[in-house]
Amino acid sequence: MNAATGHESDRARIQWLREELNRHAHAYYVLDQPTIPDAEYDALFIELQQLEIKHPELMSVDSPTQRVGGAPLPEFAQVQHDVPMLSINNGFSEDDIRAFDRRVSEGLGQSGDIEYACELKFDGLAINLRYVDGVLVQAATRGDGSAGEDVTANIRTIRAIPLRLMTDNPPAVIDVRGEVLMFKADFARLNQRQREADLKEFANPRNAAAGSLRQLDSRITAQRSLRFFAYGVGRLDGAALPETHSALLDWYSALGIPVCTERAVVPGADGLLTFFNHIGAVRASLDYDIDGVVYKVNRVAQQQALGFVSRAPRFAMAHKFPAEEATTTVLDISVQVGRTGAITPVARLAPVSVGGVTVTNATLHNEDEVRRKDIRIGDNVIVRRAGDVIPEVVAHVPERRPADARVFEMPTACPVCGSVIVRPEDEAVARCSGGWLKCAAQRKGGLQHFVSRRAMDIEGLGEQLIEQLVDRGLVTTPADFYKLGLIALAELDRMAEKSAQNVLDALAHSKSTTLPRFIYALGIRHVGESTAKTLARHFGTLDALMAASEEEMLAVEDVGPVVAQSILGFFHDPLNRELIAQLRAAGVHWDESIVERDAQPLTGKTFVLTGTLPNLKRDEAQALIEAAGGKVSGSVSKKTSYVVAGEEAGSKLAKAESLGIPVLDEKAFLQLLENPA
């Protein structure tokens, strides 16, 4: 082969490698459907690198090898947007949305329902991507809407963003508008690396994404997992604009540009509100943070007819969720005593609405956290609440600290029982030394844990009723629940004979349980629900677990020295062994027939549950899966074996369908359990 022939052969190979690597990267980072093993992808990548080094004249800006980042920039250059990146007006209530729909109808002179495109409002950083003849040539932040910062080098490192559009007939120029964001799992991994390197952690995924994208050294950006979703268009030359917004997003998807699957086209205000409520229900399960949804008149001709007011379009509105962060004042800092004796500092706050809920208390976690965040009594603080998570104090506002702000001092005695508070060496949490026999707070907490849904699941025994039972001396240990009578229960506040009988029926029903639930209900320190299941599978019977040596305990998967010592200490305590004997004597029982784990029909299978099943509760479905040797995960991935879907299944169902994962309804799920093969 002569030199010219070899050169042309290498040129063809380089072109093929680029196309293959782009195709595989799109499948992996955008579709979440890997097409080849990582090792094979890496081998192709290395081959391309070597060929480009051999032929530097064949180097191209759209090559996959150009995603690694380059030398630091002295500063970001300014980019003028050809079409301004405008903001969108916000709505917060149903009245706001109906008023928006009414304005649109009046503006178009249309009496019937308007067709709207609905999508998510991502909590990230707005970006404009410019493609010329299908090649990414520039990326800029929104800035002030008229001009932003040139972050092209950093955008090139985001593997979800194509460097070349997947089409043989690209527009001459297209500005793709969208959002750069960081997924929750990637954010957690980034902060873990920050902690390990003794560096400052990021406050939230949005800050992490913004900080990563605004690095002058793009090699740092390349080390952080950023994602992108497109949602709009700016300048467009050499191609016709699709007739609807939904068609625009479909076109983007065909070009290889990531778009979110959580979107819909709906009619009228009722359709908008239905979409909003649906997204609100699945919001916590999404892989990323959002702070609302966005509504746009779907037909582009109608958008153009409506036009703009000030710096916002008349045809669009953002429907915001209630704020999940707010600023308020720390009135005092006290401590709570948990069921294991853990002493938790709690900020008593001036009432503030966070996430639609009025918050007056927020956790400060432990003494070290109070010191690290430097939270003082009298401070103005930022409070965060996400979903059902307990509100927490994120930080204080330094410029608003009053001169008389007071430093918190951890008490030396338990506020409930007066016992000494101790902080074991190498632990962040201080604890009351009184134990549940002496400390009523630990007693109440332990009893509440025992009856909780994932433990013994005793309906009707709520926090207030347990407090009365403890305060009146009717219940000291969990075994005392099973000694309660109808008359004693009926005499309690807010109780009557019917309510008392319901509690007794629930207690009787709870006597038939499972070994994992019983182990978890005992409240052994460091033994959560997952560890309880592992212990039950490993030992098979409670007696075998109680008799286990330290060596046998350490042989259990995920049980280390600290957990092993906690379990051994619990079962060696005569009071705890007596409690277990009393519970068994009261009739608490479970099936201890042992099934070898390797022989279980669903061993190695991972399930995801989503939506509401017709007959089975989610806990019941999970118990059936685990009893057959399967595992239940909270998120869908390429490793998921099956998704069990009921009514109002959301993003997990959509993701399963996009990945080609089998989806089962309740009937098919039960049939699988009967005939796993």
Side-chain angles (χ1 to χ4, degrees), residues 321-583:
F321 291 120
E324 295 196 326
E325 285 190 353
T327 303
T328 187
T329 304
V330 178
L331 303 177
D332 196 6
I333 299 177
S334 58
V335 296
Q336 284 184 175
V337 186
R339 68 177 179 86
T340 62
I343 305 294
T344 303
V346 176
R348 308 301 178 186
L349 307 169
V352 63
S353 179
V354 186
V357 175
T358 299
V359 172
T360 56
N361 302 312
T363 182
L364 290 165
H365 298 293
N366 56 57
E367 185 179 10
D368 288 348
E369 279 291 281
V370 179
R371 303 285 176 254
R372 185 179 70 81
K373 295 177 179 177
D374 190 21
I375 305 299
R376 303 183 187 183
I377 300 166
D379 269 345
N380 278 271
V381 293
I382 299 170
V383 180
R384 177 186 300 154
R385 179 183 178 273
D388 295 326
V389 177
I390 298 169
E392 67 168 336
V393 175
V394 179
H396 74 279
V397 184
E399 60 269 25
R400 297 185 186 176
R401 169 167 285 169
D404 59 350
R406 292 182 288 122
V407 174
F408 165 72
E409 297 292 340
M410 177 68 83
T412 57
C414 173
V416 177
C417 69
S419 298
V420 174
I421 291 176
V422 296
R423 180 173 170 180
E425 190 175 351
D426 298 328
E427 289 195 19
V429 178
R431 298 181 186 278
C432 165
S433 61
W436 62 268
L437 282 176
K438 184 175 180 181
C439 184
Q442 293 183 60
R443 189 176 311 137
K444 291 174 183 176
L447 293 170
Q448 288 165 15
H449 172 78
F450 182 84
V451 306
S452 63
R453 187 165 58 91
R454 297 185 179 278
M456 297 300 287
D457 191 20
I458 305 174
E459 292 187 12
L461 275 174
E463 182 178 344
Q464 293 182 345
L465 184 56
I466 288 175
E467 285 200 6
Q468 288 190 70
L469 291 170
V470 173
D471 292 343
R472 297 193 184 195
L474 296 173
V475 171
T476 302
T477 75
D480 294 332
F481 284 132
Y482 297 98
K483 301 173 187 176
L484 291 171
L486 183 64
I487 295 175
L489 276 171
E491 289 178 346
L492 297 175
D493 296 342
R494 302 184 195 176
M495 291 290 286
E497 188 170 323
K498 183 177 180 180
S499 300
Q501 187 59 54
N502 288 340
V503 171
L504 292 178
D505 291 344
L507 282 163
H509 179 74
S510 73
K511 289 181 181 180
S512 179
T513 186
T514 66
L515 181 55
R517 278 183 176 271
F518 184 78
I519 295 170
Y520 178 59
L522 291 174
I524 305 168
R525 191 173 170 213
H526 301 306
V527 176
E529 192 179 1
S530 176
T531 303
K533 292 171 183 175
T534 301
L535 291 169
R537 282 198 301 267
H538 185 90
F539 290 103
T541 70
L542 182 64
D543 290 336
L545 172 60
M546 294 174 66
S549 65
E550 181 175 6
E551 184 179 4
E552 291 171 323
M553 200 68 70
L554 289 172
V556 180
E557 180 185 2
D558 296 332
V559 172
V562 174
V563 178
Q565 284 300 319
S566 179
I567 298 169
L568 292 169
F570 181 90
F571 287 121
H572 288 170
D573 188 326
L575 288 174
N576 293 330
R577 298 180 77 90
E578 175 61 24
L579 169 62
I580 292 168
Q582 289 182 13
L583 288 167

Side-chain angles (χ1 to χ4, degrees), residues 598-675:
D598 291 341
Q600 291 178 287
L602 297 183
T603 296
K605 304 293 184 183
T606 300
F607 290 72
V608 172
L609 304 171
T610 181
T612 304
L613 299 176
N615 302 300
L616 288 173
K617 294 180 181 178
R618 186 167 296 194
D619 286 351
E620 293 171 339
Q622 180 172 341
L624 290 172
I625 292 167
E626 290 170 342
K631 292 184 178 181
V632 177
S633 173
S635 59
V636 178
S637 72
K638 58 186 178 181
K639 296 180 180 179
T640 303
S641 307
Y642 298 96
V643 169
V644 182
E647 291 184 6
E648 298 184 2
S651 60
K652 294 178 183 177
L653 175 59
K655 188 169 184 179
E657 291 171 341
S658 71
L659 293 176
I661 294 168
V663 177
L664 310 175
D665 59 14
E666 184 180 282
K667 181 179 179 181
F669 167 61
L670 294 174
Q671 289 175 345
L672 177 68
L673 289 173
E674 292 177 6
N675 302 289

